[in-house]
Amino acid sequence: HVQLVESGGGSVQAGGSLRLSCDASGFTFSRTCLGWLRQVPGQEREGVAAIYSGGGTEYCDSVKGRFTISQDNAKNTVYLQMNSLKPEDTAMYYCAAKYGGDWWIGSDSWRYSDNYNLWGQGTQVTVS
C-alpha cells in the first residue's frame, strides 16, 4: 500500500551530521513533490526542504548551505543530508508527498504541511 517510512534520526553533537532516509512504496515520484518538514512541540510544522520530480529543490533559509535533499528514483527513496547541525535543528522530522506537487515550483506551497497528502511517521533528530 501507499506509505512513507523515515529512518536515520538520532542524537548528535553540534557540528555533526546525519542523513535521513524516506522509503516510499505504492507510488512513484513522477509529478510528485517530496518534502521534509520538522516540528518542535508547541510549534507548527515547518518546511525544511523539498524536491520536485524534475530534480529542482527548495530550502528554508535556516538550512541553506547545510542540508541537501536528494532522491533516488530507482530505490524510491528521498534523502536529507544534514551537515553542521545546530541545537535549533532539534525536532521531529517528517517526510511528506504531494502528487501533482510539481506545479508548486516557484511558489511557497512546499513549506506548508496542509498542502501534503501523504506522511511518514517521523524520525527524531536531537542536536546537543
Side-chain angles (χ1 to χ4, degrees), residues 3-115:
Q3 66 175 1
L4 298 169
V5 179
E6 302 100 331
S7 61
S11 296
V12 65
Q13 291 188 338
S17 298
L18 284 173
R19 188 176 81 157
L20 306 183
S21 299
C22 175
D23 294 319
S25 58
F27 69 102
T28 68
F29 292 165
S30 175
R31 300 183 183 180
T32 298
C33 178
L34 294 153
W36 285 98
L37 298 91
R38 65 187 179 188
Q39 188 170 25
V40 174
Q43 297 184 18
E44 291 188 357
R45 202 168 292 187
E46 65 168 355
V48 175
I51 188 166
Y52 302 105
S53 61
T57 57
E58 309 272 12
Y59 297 94
C60 69
D61 288 344
S62 63
V63 308
K64 282 180 181 177
R66 300 188 298 121
F67 290 11
T68 303
I69 188 170
S70 61
Q71 63 187 24
D72 185 328
N73 292 331
K75 295 183 178 180
N76 242 30
T77 300
V78 62
Y79 303 98
L80 186 67
Q81 178 66 44
M82 305 186 294
N83 299 329
S84 302
L85 282 160
K86 304 175 181 180
E88 51 263 44
D89 294 318
T90 296
M92 183 70 80
Y93 283 71
Y94 296 90
C95 178
K98 171 65 176 180
Y99 179 74
D102 269 359
W103 72 269
W104 290 349
I105 293 175
S107 78
D108 284 340
S109 296
W110 65 274
R111 299 179 183 271
Y112 302 106
S113 60
D114 286 350
N115 291 337

